[in-house]
Amino acid sequence: MQEKDYYSIPAISNSGMGSINPDEGGTPKRYKKFVIDRDREEEDTPSLQNGKLIHLYVEDPTTFVISDIPRPTDKLAQWVEETYAQLPKFGDSMVSKDNPLLRLTALSLRDKFGNTKDKDKLWAIFCKELDYLESLMVPDGKISMTPAQKTTVEACVESLHDNQLANNLLFKEMDQFGSVVHNELPIYWTKKVMIKGDIVELDCKGLLDRVRIDPTNKHAELIDLKTTGKSIGRFKDSFEYYRYYRQMAWYKDALKIHIEKIYGSYLGWSIDIYIVAVETGGLNECKVQKVNPQYIEQGRAEATDLVNRIATATSLNDWTTSQEERLHGYIDLKP
């Protein structure tokens, strides 16, 4: 299944849990809007773009083509990129200021990206970036990357190769005969939760960066590539802030389910979890972090609480009241 298909499926994921977690600013209503109704605009910062490009480059560097057209400012670039993404729906991708369908497509997004209601002024602003739009039109299966992005991505990938353990985990297969490797492995399962005597069935999913499985020795390695714009020495702060411990716990449980399905049983198996982190700036340092089981237990406990919140809202069909409000009638604000 393609990655885009994975993201279109409205199932519980680690990232989706944040939408109902009060400690992350979540509420039941936000969860319904963002996860169930799929009504959400994804943030696309330069840091996120670099992270996505590094992931893709690690998988297959031959898919990239380099454009010598510089990327505009973020807001303007997003407008052009979203227009490009919409073009096939209008059946005409000719890049010209005289193309009425291109104008229609671009201006249909003006409320999101424009700061004026004057259509002619907006169109004139957009037309200044037609070269950038044309640079996005690469052959099928190819990805456009600017020279600046190429410099950043290649520096990070070089650092990944220079770190012996990271190089082994990301680019090598296991030595054992019969071992298998999966990149971008989607796993789907159903979780049953008991809510006041009723069983609520919830669809769940996880997309695992990289998995190496040795069925002979009943051992698997779960490997996640992370990029950071901060010093690698502060990665633990990011690990806790972004709740990567919950993500790794969710992924480990997903991998257990995958192993049971493919190999019949998880009995006697072990899973090691590694995060390969690399700086997208500075020295582009790379460090491998092995996730301690205590973090996994912490993440599993947090995930269990959030799944129970989702199950309760599902059972009651109430996406406005939080668990705390059901318990007290209010949210207890305390230090």
Side-chain angles (χ1 to χ4, degrees):
M1 178 173 289
Q2 297 298 315
E3 184 177 320
K4 64 180 180 180
D5 296 324
Y6 170 87
Y7 287 115
S8 69
I9 296 174
I12 299 175
S13 66
N14 170 70
S15 59
M17 288 182 208
S19 297
I20 203 169
N21 186 4
D23 292 336
E24 296 176 79
T27 65
K29 190 171 184 177
R30 292 175 69 86
Y31 183 86
K32 184 177 187 301
K33 176 180 174 65
F34 296 158
V35 178
I36 297 176
D37 298 337
R38 316 301 296 164
D39 183 11
R40 181 174 192 168
E41 295 293 342
E42 297 294 338
E43 183 183 16
D44 195 20
T45 64
S47 178
L48 287 174
Q49 291 163 11
N50 285 333
K52 293 175 184 176
L53 290 174
I54 291 166
H55 273 79
L56 294 169
Y57 197 92
V58 165
E59 289 181 29
D60 186 2
T62 65
T63 61
F64 287 85
V65 294
I66 308 303
S67 167
D68 59 0
I69 305 298
R71 191 173 188 267
T73 59
D74 289 338
K75 193 171 184 179
L76 199 51
Q78 288 180 44
W79 184 15
V80 176
E81 289 160 5
E82 186 155 329
T83 299
Y84 169 67
Q86 294 291 328
L87 282 177
K89 298 179 182 179
F90 287 83
D92 192 338
S93 58
M94 183 179 67
V95 178
S96 168
K97 64 181 180 180
D98 298 321
N99 183 351
L101 289 177
L102 177 58
R103 177 183 167 115
L104 175 66
T105 307
L107 294 183
S108 71
L109 301 168
R110 75 180 189 276
D111 290 337
K112 180 177 179 181
F113 296 104
N115 54 8
T116 175
K117 296 296 183 181
D118 189 318
K119 293 183 179 181
D120 290 333
K121 286 184 179 179
L122 276 171
W123 180 237
I125 293 171
F126 186 88
C127 285
K128 291 179 181 179
E129 307 302 335
L130 289 180
D131 285 346
Y132 179 62
L133 174 63
E134 193 164 21
S135 75
L136 299 175
M137 296 181 173
V138 297
D140 288 343
K142 295 290 184 179
I143 301 167
S144 178
M145 182 164 55
T146 67
Q149 289 173 326
K150 180 176 184 288
T151 298
T152 298
V153 169
E154 289 189 341
C156 290
V157 173
E158 181 179 359
S159 185
L160 294 175
H161 282 293
D162 287 344
N163 183 303
Q164 185 175 353
L165 180 54
N167 184 64
N168 177 54
L169 291 171
L170 289 175
F171 303 106
K172 306 291 184 182
E173 297 186 4
M174 288 177 158
D175 294 332
Q176 291 80 1
F177 177 79
S179 63
V180 294
V181 176
H182 300 282
N183 290 316
E184 297 292 317
L185 175 66
I187 301 175
Y188 305 92
W189 69 101
T190 300
K191 184 180 286 288
K192 296 182 179 180
V193 182
M194 183 72 73
I195 300 294
K196 294 183 178 181
D198 294 328
I199 295 178
V200 180
E201 294 190 352
L202 301 171
D203 293 330
C204 303
K205 64 180 181 179
L207 184 63
L208 284 55
D209 264 7
R210 182 171 169 87
V211 175
R212 304 199 305 179
I213 301 176
D214 171 16
T216 301
N217 294 303
K218 294 187 174 181
H219 179 69
E221 292 172 342
L222 172 58
I223 305 148
D224 202 85
L225 174 61
K226 299 293 187 191
T227 56
T228 178
K230 300 177 182 178
S231 166
I232 201 71
R234 301 187 65 85
F235 182 74
K236 184 178 179 181
D237 295 340
S238 296
F239 182 86
E240 295 186 343
Y241 179 80
Y242 292 109
R243 287 170 160 76
Y244 291 150
Y245 57 86
R246 187 182 72 210
Q247 181 186 31
M248 295 302 102
W250 189 251
Y251 285 2
K252 182 176 182 179
D253 288 347
L255 184 52
K256 286 181 179 178
I257 291 169
H258 176 79
I259 289 171
E260 288 176 343
K261 179 180 178 181
I262 301 301
Y263 300 102
S265 171
Y266 182 72
L267 184 65
W269 280 76
S270 62
I271 297 175
D272 286 336
I273 302 174
Y274 297 94
I275 291 182
V276 180
V278 62
E279 296 173 351
T280 55
L283 301 176
N284 300 118
E285 281 195 90
C286 168
K287 300 292 182 184
V288 178
Q289 330 268 335
K290 187 174 183 181
V291 183
N292 187 282
Q294 288 180 298
Y295 264 132
I296 299 301
E297 290 307 310
Q298 178 183 342
R300 185 175 288 123
E302 186 173 303
T304 297
D305 172 68
L306 298 178
V307 168
N308 284 338
R309 289 172 182 266
I310 296 167
T312 300
T314 301
S315 176
L316 299 175
N317 194 27
D318 177 3
W319 296 99
T320 59
T321 311
S322 68
Q323 295 281 69
E324 290 75 15
E325 290 171 301
R326 292 190 185 96
L327 182 62
H328 302 293
Y330 56 83
I331 296 174
D332 187 13
L333 194 62
K334 58 184 180 182

